[in-house]
Amino acid sequence: INKYFIQSISIDKLLDKDISFPKESKMGLTGLINSRNNCYMNSVIQCLSNCFQFTKYFLSNLFLDDINTENKISNGKISKCYKKLLKNLWKKDYESTNSDIFRDIFINEDDKRFKGFEQYDASEFLIFLLDKLHIDLNRVNNNEYFKLREKLENETESQASLRWWKNYLKQNDSIIIDLFYGQLKSCVTCPNCNYDSINFNSFLSLELSINQNKNYHLINIEFIYYYKESPTINFN
C-alpha cells in the first residue's frame, strides 16, 4: 500500500516529531502495579507504550486533532485517559504507577467484557483496547455500506488490493489503522471449474494455532512492508 494513503497523521511526521522529557523522567521505564488480576492489561499497555510512534502520537497531543466528536460511545474519554497513563509512564519520575483509573474508564464504556477481577486473555484485551481507541480517533464519520467485489478479471492483484484498501479507508481511518492493520489475501478455488475467487480483507491480528502433533507442516508467511521501497520478507 502506498504511504500517501495515511491522511491526517503521517508516519514520517511521527518520526520527525520531537518530544521534550523532564530531566527526572523515567523515559518509559516506569512499571505498572499488578492489582486485582490486571496483569493481562498491564502487559498489553507496556507493549503498546513501547510502540514509540504510537506513544509519540499521544504525548505530543496530535491525537487531540483526531478525536471523533460524533462518537457517542466515549467521546474521546478513553484516548484522553490513555494519554494520561502514558504521561505517567514516560514523563514522570515514578518507579511504578497504577492503571486502575484507566481500567475503570473503559469498563464504564463497556457493560460486558473485562468487568470483575478475573484473569482475562491478553490478546483479547489488546484487540478490545485498540478497537476502542480506533472508535475514539476515527477520522471518518461515514457509515455508508460499501459492497466489495472480488478481484476482477481485468485487474491485477495489486489493483484489486488497492481498491479494497481504499474502500476500507472510506469508513476506517485512524492511527490504529495506520500502524497496526494489514491486509490479508484470501483465495478460494472451485474444485469443479478451477475458478479462483480472490478477496482482500483488512485485519488487526492473525492467530496461528499450535499443532500438538509431532508431524507438523511449515507455514510460509510473506510480509510486505507499508512502504513501496521496502523489501519483502519471507518467514518460514
Side-chain angles (χ1 to χ4, degrees):
I1 304 302
N2 296 331
K3 62 181 178 182
Y4 59 77
F5 283 109
I6 293 181
Q7 296 179 9
S8 180
I9 301 296
S10 71
I11 300 299
D12 292 335
K13 186 175 181 180
L14 286 172
L15 289 173
D16 296 337
K17 187 73 177 179
D18 290 327
I19 302 177
S20 60
F21 294 97
K23 291 182 179 179
E24 63 275 12
S25 168
K26 293 294 184 182
M27 294 290 288
L29 299 179
T30 302
L32 287 169
I33 299 171
N34 286 332
S35 61
R36 301 190 298 180
N37 284 336
N38 66 350
C39 54
Y40 71 93
M41 180 182 73
N42 288 342
S43 63
V44 167
I45 291 172
Q46 288 288 15
C47 287
L48 289 178
S49 170
N50 286 278
C51 295
F52 198 50
Q53 292 172 337
F54 194 47
T55 294
K56 271 188 175 184
Y57 173 72
F58 285 94
L59 293 184
S60 62
N61 287 327
L62 289 173
F63 80 100
L64 293 174
D65 296 330
D66 287 340
I67 289 179
N68 191 331
T69 56
E70 299 297 321
N71 164 31
K72 304 303 181 183
I73 297 178
S74 75
N75 197 24
K77 291 180 183 177
I78 294 177
S79 56
K80 290 177 181 177
C81 192
Y82 181 70
K83 184 270 169 100
K84 291 180 181 178
L85 181 59
L86 286 178
K87 187 176 180 181
N88 288 342
L89 292 174
W90 285 88
K91 290 196 170 184
K92 301 293 185 179
D93 61 348
Y94 305 143
E95 292 293 335
S96 61
T97 188
N98 201 314
S99 57
D100 282 352
I101 295 178
F102 177 66
R103 176 185 180 276
D104 292 341
I105 286 290
F106 69 72
I107 282 181
N108 288 335
E109 306 301 333
D110 189 279
D111 59 356
K112 294 181 180 179
R113 288 179 289 180
F114 306 108
K115 281 193 172 182
F117 307 125
E118 296 83 7
Q119 180 64 261
Y120 292 97
D121 183 75
S123 62
E124 182 183 355
F125 175 73
L126 172 63
I127 295 172
F128 170 83
L129 175 56
L130 290 178
D131 182 61
K132 291 295 183 183
L133 289 173
H134 166 67
I135 294 172
D136 251 10
L137 301 167
N138 192 1
R139 305 165 191 134
V140 181
N141 293 318
N142 184 8
N143 294 321
E144 182 181 353
Y145 173 74
F146 297 94
K147 185 176 180 179
L148 290 173
R149 295 175 295 169
E150 61 188 27
K151 177 185 172 298
L152 306 177
E153 291 185 4
N154 61 344
E155 280 183 316
T156 65
E157 289 192 1
S158 295
Q159 290 171 335
S161 168
L162 193 57
R163 174 168 59 85
W164 278 66
W165 186 250
K166 281 183 176 180
N167 277 283
Y168 186 74
L169 289 183
K170 289 179 181 179
Q171 292 182 312
N172 301 277
D173 182 22
S174 71
I175 188 67
I176 312 299
I177 306 299
D178 296 345
L179 292 178
F180 298 106
Y181 270 68
Q183 192 182 65
L184 184 67
K185 172 189 170 184
S186 172
C187 181
V188 179
T189 303
C190 176
N192 296 321
C193 64
N194 292 324
Y195 174 76
D196 291 331
S197 174
I198 301 176
N199 299 294
F200 298 87
N201 297 298
S202 302
F203 69 89
L204 173 60
S205 66
L206 290 176
E207 295 185 3
L208 299 177
S209 60
I210 299 176
N211 195 332
Q212 300 296 327
N213 299 324
K214 293 183 179 180
N215 297 324
Y216 60 89
H217 300 284
L218 291 176
I219 298 175
N220 295 322
I221 300 176
E222 183 180 18
F223 178 78
I224 302 175
Y225 276 102
Y226 198 87
Y227 295 100
K228 291 198 315 183
E229 61 269 19
S230 300
T232 297
I233 297 178
N234 288 290
F235 298 94
N236 292 316

